Structure formats: C-alpha cells, structure tokens
Amino acid sequence: MSDAVVRVVPSRAATAQSMSLILPVILPVMAAVLVAPVIPDITRAFSADPNAGLLVPVAITIPALMLALFSPLAGWLADRFGRKRLLVAALLVYAVCGVAPIWLDHLPAIILSRALLGICEAAVMTCSTALICDHNQGRERERWLAMQSVVASLSSIPLIVIGGLLGEQNWRTPFAVYGLAVLVVPAILLLVEEPPREAANAANGSAGFPWRRFAIVGLLALAASLLFYIMPIQIGFLLSMRGITSPQQIGLATATGSIAILVGAMLFRRLPRKGTMPAAAAFACMGVGLLTLVLAQDFAGVVAGAVLHGFGWGIALPLLLTMAMAGLPFDMRGRGTGVFMAAVFIGQFLSPLSVGAVENVLGGLVPAIKVFAVLSLLLAVAAAVTLRGTRTGD
C-alpha cells in the first residue's frame, strides 16, 4: 500500500507540517473576495474603456476559471516532478502576479496578471492538498482535510473586511495583500518534507487511474460547489426582496452560514466511514437550506436557511475529497487532487451563470433557486444510490 511509505515524524512536527500546508488554501479565497469591495471603484477608474463593464468582472472571476482549467495539469506536474518544488514556485509567482495590478494601467494587462494568478492557485491548491494526503492517513487525513475546508470558508470573512478597509484608500491598495503569499514559503521550505518518491513508486504497482470513481465523485463535487455558491452570491438579492438592504445584516447572514460550515466540517469526522448516509445528508441539508432561504419571510428565517445550507457544504466538501483520495496511490494523488479541484471550481464558476440562465427562463430569482433546491434533494437520493458501500477513507 502506498500509505506504507508515509514518513513517520514526531506528532508535533507532523502537526506543524500539516498546519503549514493548510495556509495556502486561503489564497484562492483571497483572489475571489479581497478585491470584491472595490469592483465599483475599478470600473470607474477605467470608465474611459467602453468595455470596462464587461472586462472588470472578468478580471475578478478569471482566477477561479484558470484554477478549474489548470488543476489537472498541475496535478500531473506534481506527480511527475514533485509537490514541494512546484508549490514553492507557485507561491512566489502568485505573489508577483497578485500585486502586479498596483502598477498596471490597462485592463487587458490586469486580466492577464489575474489569469496567471489563477494558474498559480491551481498548483498551490493541488500540491498542498496532495501533500496533506501524502503525510496523513485514516482519521488524521480526514481531520486535516476537514480543517482545510474550515479555514477556506472562515477566511473569507476577514478578507472581505480587509479589502473594504484598504479600498477606502485606493482601489489598488488591496492588491498589496497578495504579496503576503511569500510569507508562506519559509514555512513550506522548513516544515514540509517531499515524500520519498522511489519507495512510493516501488510500492504503487501499475494500477490505472480510477476514472469511473472520479467521474462519480467529481460530478457530485461540481454539483455541490454549484449549489453552495448560490447562497453567498444570491443572499443579498433575496434579503433585498424582503426589504433588508443593510450591508451589516447581509454580512451577518453570510457569516452565520460560514460558521455553520465550520460545524459541518467538524461533525464530518464523527460520521460513519461509509459514504452513503453522510453524502445524502449533506445534499439534503443544502436543498432544505435553499428552500428555507426562498420561503422565509423574515431575517431570522433567511439566517436559518443559510445555516442549514452551510452545514451541508461543511460536510460535503471534506467528505467528497476524502472519498476521492481514498486508496489512491502516491503517484496518482496529484492528478486525483487536480481533477477534484477542477470539479469544485468549475462548479463555483458556473453557479451564478446557471442561476442566471434559469432565472431568465422562469422569470424570477425565487423560482430559480427553488429549482436548484429540488435538484439538491434529488442529488441526495442519487448520492445514496451511487455511493452505497463507498468508504470515506483508507
């Protein structure tokens, strides 16, 4: 078994290593939310460009698209050339590309820098997650993958606040925060060990990549991601329909949902190791949460929906990732992680587009979200059937 080659290290060192590998998960979140508060200011700064209304949103969202497209390639490179070196290189280039808009005066150049940022994110997410799986197994692997989900979810709250505060000075100022990625590099260099490739390759045998299992888990991950991002993107519009326009209340509802993600991720580790019940429960919670969001008549009801929805996502993400990586040999973990990350971020990218398309057909946001709520409940049934007997860990 490939896990036999995981190097045994002292508990304190192993914890420090895993903690340093969790830090990079903040970077894709940073790319998505840090500059969100200054989008109107960026649009005004480039108002002379007739395409600014289109190009500015592209500049904001393109990192997620690049992450989705290039994660499988990053996984192949990680398997071929090693995780640690690729991770360190990606962190350094990420910092350079991230701060570049401070000095760039043309939107196409900013979009290019943001696209390169997304490619670096693909390598960072793939390599750090693969290394977590290389150095941990069983319940410890589940623990750190769940913690990765928690950190990714909770980091969005302070990042939005930081972006807003820095944006008060100038729309370019928030981009300076991306340079902090270089501070992660020393931790990776000092604390993270590259797994011994020779022993791993000898132990892996010649089994092929489990495409059938990844097709099922990947589709479920894409769907779960698409369903999850409905809440943070659309909750402001839903609250406005009920006469609630206070940014403070909108932020409170979103933050409460994020705390529910933490609870779901922590509960995940205590769930049975068979995949059917937890996966079905996760999609059911997301579906009921979406229904509660659109049927609620007051702020408390909307918050309750956000909590149910976030709780389901908190279970779904580490569960599906753990299932994807279970039993995957060392020389395929990079590719496995890359394929999984591609599915998650394709779902994120498609979420607002899908809701918008259904909204146009049905003539309203509420009926559109009801459709996705029903879809989530149907996926709960599908997960119960397709994942029957599937283990969530090694």
Side-chain angles (χ1 to χ4, degrees):
M1 293 294 295
S2 58
D3 285 322
V5 301
V6 176
R7 186 170 297 178
V8 178
V9 292
S11 177
R12 187 173 298 175
T15 299
Q17 177 172 254
S18 295
M19 289 180 65
S20 66
L21 290 170
I22 283 177
L23 292 176
V25 79
I26 299 174
L27 302 186
V29 181
M30 189 186 299
V33 306
L34 185 65
V35 296
V38 296
I39 292 176
D41 293 331
I42 299 174
T43 305
R44 285 191 291 269
F46 291 97
S47 58
D49 188 327
N51 297 315
L54 172 65
L55 294 179
V56 171
V58 169
I60 302 304
T61 60
I62 199 170
L65 178 60
M66 293 296 102
L67 196 158
L69 294 177
F70 283 90
S71 287
L73 175 60
W76 180 83
L77 292 172
D79 285 339
R80 181 70 177 82
F81 300 105
R83 288 81 145 115
K84 183 176 176 178
R85 284 180 294 178
L86 182 59
L87 176 57
V88 170
L91 286 168
L92 294 173
V93 179
Y94 175 99
V96 174
C97 294
V99 302
I102 295 176
W103 300 283
L104 298 175
D105 294 321
H106 302 284
L107 270 176
I110 291 176
I111 291 173
L112 177 60
S113 71
R114 298 280 292 174
L116 293 174
L117 185 80
I119 295 174
C120 292
E121 289 175 5
V124 167
M125 284 296 297
T126 299
C127 292
S128 60
T129 304
L131 281 164
I132 288 174
C133 294
D134 288 338
H135 291 291
N136 298 279
Q137 53 185 300
R139 288 295 189 185
E140 279 301 300
R141 178 183 291 181
E142 294 174 10
R143 172 194 175 195
W144 289 110
L145 292 179
M147 189 61 66
Q148 186 185 55
S149 302
V150 169
V151 171
S153 300
L154 295 183
S155 63
S156 62
I157 301 172
L159 286 173
I160 290 175
V161 175
I162 291 170
L165 291 174
L166 293 177
E168 292 290 333
Q169 309 299 318
N170 187 285
W171 69 263
R172 297 181 186 271
T173 309
F175 289 96
V177 179
Y178 292 113
L180 297 178
V182 298
L183 299 181
V184 183
V185 173
I188 300 298
L189 291 174
L190 294 173
L191 300 175
V192 177
E193 297 184 31
E194 185 75 66
R197 296 185 57 82
E198 294 78 7
N201 290 333
N204 280 330
S206 57
F209 190 82
W211 286 112
R212 182 179 179 277
R213 172 159 64 92
F214 264 80
I216 295 172
V217 176
L219 286 173
L220 289 174
L222 188 154
S225 177
L226 188 154
L227 291 166
F228 167 70
Y229 282 99
I230 291 175
M231 194 280 290
I233 294 173
Q234 308 297 341
I235 192 170
F237 298 107
L238 291 172
L239 287 170
S240 296
M241 292 177 186
R242 290 156 180 78
I244 301 171
T245 58
S246 166
Q248 183 177 0
Q249 287 186 287
I250 295 173
L252 176 61
T254 305
T256 306
S258 296
I259 294 172
I261 296 173
L262 166 63
V263 176
M266 299 303 292
L267 177 64
F268 153 71
R269 296 181 57 232
R270 301 183 179 275
L271 294 175
R273 295 175 70 84
K274 294 288 184 181
T276 299
M277 187 279 288
F283 279 103
C285 282
M286 294 176 73
V288 174
L290 288 175
L291 280 177
T292 305
L293 277 173
V294 296
L295 296 177
Q297 297 302 311
D298 54 20
F299 180 73
V302 172
V303 170
V307 167
L308 277 171
H309 187 261
F311 181 76
W313 174 248
I315 296 173
L317 182 59
L319 170 69
L320 292 171
L321 178 54
T322 304
M323 291 173 63
M325 303 304 291
L328 206 60
F330 173 87
D331 61 348
M332 295 182 186
R333 286 189 195 134
R335 278 168 286 174
T337 305
V339 171
F340 185 88
M341 293 299 169
V344 170
F345 284 94
I346 288 173
Q348 176 184 339
F349 183 77
L350 292 179
S351 184
L353 302 178
S354 302
V355 173
V358 177
E359 182 180 359
N360 289 335
V361 172
L362 299 182
L365 179 60
V366 168
I369 294 180
K370 287 181 180 178
V371 168
F372 287 99
V374 173
L375 173 63
S376 187
L377 295 174
L378 292 175
L379 284 170
V381 177
V385 174
T386 59
L387 300 178
R388 183 175 298 167
T390 302
R391 293 183 65 82
T392 64
D394 296 325

